[in-house]
Amino acid sequence: MIEESLLTPRVLALVGQTGPTSRVTVSRKAVHRAMDVYLGHHDREFAVGDPVPGFTVVALDPDLDRLEIPDLMPDSLLISDEWSFERPLRMGDELTLESRIADISERLGGRFGYSLYARMEVVMRDHEGNVVCRSGRTMMYYDAANARDGGEE
Amino acid sequence: MTPSFESLREGDEMTPLAVTPDLMRVIRFCGLTWNFPSLFYDVDAARAQGMPGTLVPGPMKLGLICRAVEEWLGDAAYVRHVRAAHRRPDITGRPITIAGRVARLFEEDGHRRADLELVVINQDNEPSVRGFATVEFYR
């Protein structure tokens, strides 16, 4: 059982921190790989400037230098995730990506016992600095040994 | 028929998308994101965590929700915002259905938009993901 808050000054200092900037291109290969995952094929071609499927954003992930939360608890669960687009992604887009830890909070009790919640965000900008896409993810960190069985959380 | 802002009414249902994310597709997703938690491809690791099989990654389901909305809308609109709240794990190789309905049609900042309420339903007819999207129609 956790008897002291894990939200130490060192952990709280992570909130608001940003990672290094990464540069990515919405390339033909990235679009094809995403289509293979989500459609099972890539039988459609896109010209430079054409809108591409929104799920292509997933293919940009490996190029991101993502800030990570330190391992404070043994288990983790994805609570929610989201994408927001100011405009569709387009073939040939050259984007800069920057990740940020937006929030860390704790929860006492509940089905999972003591748990930490962290929200990570990524902002993607075009070469003029305009935001094209934001993605966000909320993770819960907990100790499965202290969790109870239950239905929908 | 591809829906348009003019043809839609609040309460209209989206064409559902039925998919079965198999292990190969999940492994491709792990490769795409270069992220390899064993729960997604190692059945023994998944069973050790009390799961009946390997799991479909949550972010993969967000993309499937996005695909369902985009296929329904065709070239009429794009997904401006999509969100997934994960409620239950989905098991690799089991069918899921992504369904939704138009919650609100509105104009904002000179743009025609619609809010959609979405859900991923597992083979036991339980919601595994609650979703939400805002789409923007092209003029």
Side-chain angles (χ1 to χ4, degrees), chain A residues 37-38 54 62 81 84-85, chain B residues 25 32 67 70 80-81 84 86:
Chain A
V37 167
Y38 287 107
D81 53 354
S84 296
F85 299 93
Chain B
R25 204 74 78 81
L32 185 68
R67 173 193 162 188
E70 287 180 337
R80 185 172 165 77
H81 179 71
H86 301 278

Side-chain angles (χ1 to χ4, degrees), chain B residues 87-103:
Chain B
R87 302 302 193 204
R88 288 184 175 85
D90 281 298
I91 306 301
T92 307
R94 294 185 183 177
I96 56 175
T97 301
I98 301 157
R101 59 181 280 277
V102 177

Side-chain angles (χ1 to χ4, degrees), chain A residues 54-125:
Chain A
F55 54 64
T56 301
V57 73
V58 170
L60 309 179
D61 236 35
D63 292 320
L64 172 67
D65 289 318
R66 188 185 292 275
L67 274 182
E68 298 291 351
I69 302 291
D71 287 333
L72 298 171
M73 303 196 74
D75 302 293
S76 62
L77 264 182
L78 175 65
I79 299 297
S80 66
D81 53 354
E82 60 191 298
W83 302 327
S84 296
F85 299 93
E86 292 299 319
R87 62 161 174 81
L89 287 181
R90 297 191 184 112
M91 180 65 84
D93 269 343
E94 294 182 351
L95 305 171
T96 57
L97 277 57
E98 189 177 72
S99 72
R100 170 176 174 264
I101 296 174
D103 191 35
I104 305 177
S105 61
E106 64 185 348
R107 182 179 176 191
L108 305 172
R111 185 180 144 204
F112 290 93
Y114 180 86
S115 51
L116 292 175
Y117 286 73
R119 178 172 170 78
M120 280 77 79
E121 296 176 345
V122 178
V123 61
M124 305 177 196
R125 293 186 171 87

Side-chain angles (χ1 to χ4, degrees), chain B residues 126-138:
Chain B
E126 298 168 321
S128 61
V129 179
R130 298 283 184 186
F132 175 85
T134 300
V135 301
E136 183 171 304
F137 290 83
Y138 295 115

Side-chain angles (χ1 to χ4, degrees), chain B:
Chain B
M1 197 176 86
T2 301
S4 65
F5 184 80
E6 292 78 11
S7 69
L8 284 175
R9 297 290 177 267
E10 292 177 359
D12 282 357
E13 294 194 358
M14 180 181 86
T15 305
L17 174 68
V19 291
T20 302
D22 60 21
L23 185 58
M24 181 54 69
R25 204 74 78 81
V26 169
I27 289 172
R28 281 183 173 170
F29 175 84
C30 291
L32 185 68
T33 57
W34 207 249
N35 186 28
F36 298 91
S38 57
L39 284 172
F40 297 152
Y41 58 85
D42 181 343
V43 71
D44 291 333
R47 286 180 178 150
Q49 296 282 320
M51 298 296 168
T54 53
L55 305 186
V56 181
M60 184 174 172
K61 289 189 275 187
L62 179 65
L64 287 170
I65 291 171
C66 191
R67 173 193 162 188
V69 174
E70 287 180 337
E71 287 191 355
W72 175 56
L73 291 168
D75 294 328
Y78 76 95
V79 174
R80 185 172 165 77
H81 179 71
V82 60
R83 180 174 190 272
H86 301 278
R87 302 302 193 204
R88 288 184 175 85
D90 281 298
I91 306 301
T92 307
R94 294 185 183 177
I96 56 175
T97 301
I98 301 157
R101 59 181 280 277
V102 177
R104 185 167 74 113
L105 290 161
F106 61 104
E107 296 202 30
E108 185 177 58
D109 303 329
H111 299 286
R112 296 176 300 179
R113 295 174 178 160
D115 286 341
L116 311 176
E117 293 173 350
L118 303 157
V119 64
V120 177
I121 301 166
N122 67 20
Q123 65 177 9
D124 296 323
N125 212 29
E126 298 168 321
S128 61
V129 179
R130 298 283 184 186
F132 175 85
T134 300
V135 301
E136 183 171 304
F137 290 83
Y138 295 115
R139 293 221 175 247

